[in-house]
PDB file of all heavy atoms in Angstrom:
ATOM      1  N   GLY P 217     114.699 -24.505  91.878  1.00 98.00           N
ATOM      2  CA  GLY P 217     114.940 -23.244  92.577  1.00 98.00           C
ATOM      3  C   GLY P 217     113.764 -22.819  93.429  1.00 98.00           C
ATOM      4  O   GLY P 217     113.926 -22.305  94.542  1.00 98.00           O
ATOM      5  N   ILE P 218     112.553 -23.036  92.912  1.00 98.00           N
ATOM      6  CA  ILE P 218     111.349 -22.681  93.663  1.00 98.00           C
ATOM      7  C   ILE P 218     111.277 -23.492  94.954  1.00 98.00           C
ATOM      8  O   ILE P 218     111.002 -22.950  96.040  1.00 98.00           O
ATOM      9  CB  ILE P 218     110.091 -22.909  92.804  1.00 98.00           C
ATOM     10  CG1 ILE P 218     110.009 -21.856  91.695  1.00 98.00           C
ATOM     11  CG2 ILE P 218     108.822 -22.883  93.657  1.00 98.00           C
ATOM     12  CD1 ILE P 218     108.902 -22.096  90.693  1.00 98.00           C
ATOM     13  N   CYS P 219     111.532 -24.787  94.857  1.00 98.00           N
ATOM     14  CA  CYS P 219     111.466 -25.648  96.039  1.00 98.00           C
ATOM     15  C   CYS P 219     112.559 -25.307  97.044  1.00 98.00           C
ATOM     16  O   CYS P 219     112.329 -25.352  98.269  1.00 98.00           O
ATOM     17  CB  CYS P 219     111.542 -27.113  95.625  1.00 98.00           C
ATOM     18  SG  CYS P 219     110.080 -27.707  94.751  1.00 98.00           S
ATOM     19  N   ASP P 220     113.736 -24.964  96.553  1.00 98.00           N
ATOM     20  CA  ASP P 220     114.818 -24.578  97.467  1.00 98.00           C
ATOM     21  C   ASP P 220     114.435 -23.320  98.241  1.00 98.00           C
ATOM     22  O   ASP P 220     114.644 -23.235  99.465  1.00 98.00           O
ATOM     23  CB  ASP P 220     116.108 -24.341  96.687  1.00 98.00           C
ATOM     24  CG  ASP P 220     116.747 -25.637  96.192  1.00 98.00           C
ATOM     25  OD1 ASP P 220     116.352 -26.721  96.681  1.00 98.00           O
ATOM     26  OD2 ASP P 220     117.623 -25.561  95.316  1.00 98.00           O
ATOM     27  N   LEU P 221     113.871 -22.330  97.545  1.00 98.00           N
ATOM     28  CA  LEU P 221     113.453 -21.097  98.219  1.00 98.00           C
ATOM     29  C   LEU P 221     112.314 -21.365  99.202  1.00 98.00           C
ATOM     30  O   LEU P 221     112.295 -20.818 100.315  1.00 98.00           O
ATOM     31  CB  LEU P 221     113.023 -20.055  97.185  1.00 98.00           C
ATOM     32  CG  LEU P 221     114.132 -19.362  96.402  1.00 98.00           C
ATOM     33  CD1 LEU P 221     113.542 -18.496  95.301  1.00 98.00           C
ATOM     34  CD2 LEU P 221     115.001 -18.524  97.342  1.00 98.00           C
ATOM     35  N   ALA P 222     111.364 -22.189  98.782  1.00 98.00           N
ATOM     36  CA  ALA P 222     110.244 -22.512  99.667  1.00 98.00           C
ATOM     37  C   ALA P 222     110.736 -23.187 100.938  1.00 98.00           C
ATOM     38  O   ALA P 222     110.278 -22.873 102.050  1.00 98.00           O
ATOM     39  CB  ALA P 222     109.251 -23.410  98.938  1.00 98.00           C
ATOM     40  N   GLU P 223     111.701 -24.096 100.802  1.00 98.00           N
ATOM     41  CA  GLU P 223     112.251 -24.777 101.974  1.00 98.00           C
ATOM     42  C   GLU P 223     112.999 -23.787 102.864  1.00 98.00           C
ATOM     43  O   GLU P 223     112.884 -23.827 104.096  1.00 98.00           O
ATOM     44  CB  GLU P 223     113.176 -25.901 101.514  1.00 98.00           C
ATOM     45  CG  GLU P 223     113.659 -26.798 102.628  1.00 98.00           C
ATOM     46  CD  GLU P 223     114.394 -28.027 102.101  1.00 98.00           C
ATOM     47  OE1 GLU P 223     114.591 -28.131 100.868  1.00 98.00           O
ATOM     48  OE2 GLU P 223     114.770 -28.877 102.923  1.00 98.00           O
ATOM     49  N   GLN P 224     113.742 -22.887 102.242  1.00 98.00           N
ATOM     50  CA  GLN P 224     114.516 -21.907 102.994  1.00 98.00           C
ATOM     51  C   GLN P 224     113.627 -20.977 103.813  1.00 98.00           C
ATOM     52  O   GLN P 224     113.962 -20.629 104.963  1.00 98.00           O
ATOM     53  CB  GLN P 224     115.380 -21.080 102.031  1.00 98.00           C
ATOM     54  CG  GLN P 224     116.216 -20.004 102.709  1.00 98.00           C
ATOM     55  CD  GLN P 224     117.020 -19.195 101.699  1.00 98.00           C
ATOM     56  OE1 GLN P 224     117.169 -19.591 100.526  1.00 98.00           O
ATOM     57  NE2 GLN P 224     117.549 -18.063 102.131  1.00 98.00           N
ATOM     58  N   TYR P 225     112.479 -20.604 103.233  1.00 98.00           N
ATOM     59  CA  TYR P 225     111.614 -19.624 103.891  1.00 98.00           C
ATOM     60  C   TYR P 225     110.355 -20.244 104.510  1.00 98.00           C
ATOM     61  O   TYR P 225     109.447 -19.527 104.922  1.00 98.00           O
ATOM     62  CB  TYR P 225     111.210 -18.533 102.888  1.00 98.00           C
ATOM     63  CG  TYR P 225     112.349 -17.621 102.538  1.00 98.00           C
ATOM     64  CD1 TYR P 225     113.137 -17.846 101.410  1.00 98.00           C
ATOM     65  CD2 TYR P 225     112.668 -16.528 103.343  1.00 98.00           C
ATOM     66  CE1 TYR P 225     114.195 -17.016 101.088  1.00 98.00           C
ATOM     67  CE2 TYR P 225     113.724 -15.686 103.033  1.00 98.00           C
ATOM     68  CZ  TYR P 225     114.486 -15.932 101.905  1.00 98.00           C
ATOM     69  OH  TYR P 225     115.547 -15.101 101.594  1.00 98.00           O
ATOM     70  N   GLY P 226     110.300 -21.567 104.578  1.00 98.00           N
ATOM     71  CA  GLY P 226     109.197 -22.226 105.260  1.00 98.00           C
ATOM     72  C   GLY P 226     107.865 -22.114 104.548  1.00 98.00           C
ATOM     73  O   GLY P 226     106.829 -21.921 105.202  1.00 98.00           O
ATOM     74  N   ALA P 227     107.862 -22.258 103.224  1.00 98.00           N
ATOM     75  CA  ALA P 227     106.628 -22.191 102.437  1.00 98.00           C
ATOM     76  C   ALA P 227     106.333 -23.555 101.815  1.00 98.00           C
ATOM     77  O   ALA P 227     107.203 -24.433 101.749  1.00 98.00           O
ATOM     78  CB  ALA P 227     106.751 -21.133 101.338  1.00 98.00           C
ATOM     79  N   MET P 228     105.087 -23.739 101.378  1.00 98.00           N
ATOM     80  CA  MET P 228     104.692 -24.940 100.643  1.00 98.00           C
ATOM     81  C   MET P 228     104.682 -24.626  99.151  1.00 98.00           C
ATOM     82  O   MET P 228     104.663 -23.467  98.742  1.00 98.00           O
ATOM     83  CB  MET P 228     103.300 -25.403 101.084  1.00 98.00           C
ATOM     84  CG  MET P 228     103.207 -25.811 102.535  1.00 98.00           C
ATOM     85  SD  MET P 228     101.569 -26.484 102.946  1.00 98.00           S
ATOM     86  CE  MET P 228     100.538 -25.052 102.662  1.00 98.00           C
ATOM     87  N   VAL P 229     104.690 -25.686  98.349  1.00 98.00           N
ATOM     88  CA  VAL P 229     104.724 -25.536  96.890  1.00 98.00           C
ATOM     89  C   VAL P 229     103.546 -26.276  96.265  1.00 98.00           C
ATOM     90  O   VAL P 229     103.285 -27.447  96.584  1.00 98.00           O
ATOM     91  CB  VAL P 229     106.043 -26.066  96.296  1.00 98.00           C
ATOM     92  CG1 VAL P 229     106.024 -25.961  94.764  1.00 98.00           C
ATOM     93  CG2 VAL P 229     107.231 -25.294  96.870  1.00 98.00           C
ATOM     94  N   PHE P 230     102.856 -25.579  95.361  1.00 98.00           N
ATOM     95  CA  PHE P 230     101.755 -26.139  94.566  1.00 98.00           C
ATOM     96  C   PHE P 230     102.117 -26.022  93.091  1.00 98.00           C
ATOM     97  O   PHE P 230     102.632 -24.980  92.655  1.00 98.00           O
ATOM     98  CB  PHE P 230     100.463 -25.364  94.829  1.00 98.00           C
ATOM     99  CG  PHE P 230      99.405 -25.559  93.763  1.00 98.00           C
ATOM    100  CD1 PHE P 230      98.404 -26.509  93.929  1.00 98.00           C
ATOM    101  CD2 PHE P 230      99.399 -24.795  92.598  1.00 98.00           C
ATOM    102  CE1 PHE P 230      97.433 -26.690  92.956  1.00 98.00           C
ATOM    103  CE2 PHE P 230      98.433 -24.981  91.612  1.00 98.00           C
ATOM    104  CZ  PHE P 230      97.446 -25.931  91.797  1.00 98.00           C
TER     105      PHE P 230
END
Side-chain angles (χ1 to χ4, degrees):
I218 289 173
C219 291
D220 287 345
L221 285 173
E223 188 171 4
Q224 179 182 346
Y225 289 95
M228 297 185 296
V229 177
F230 161 96

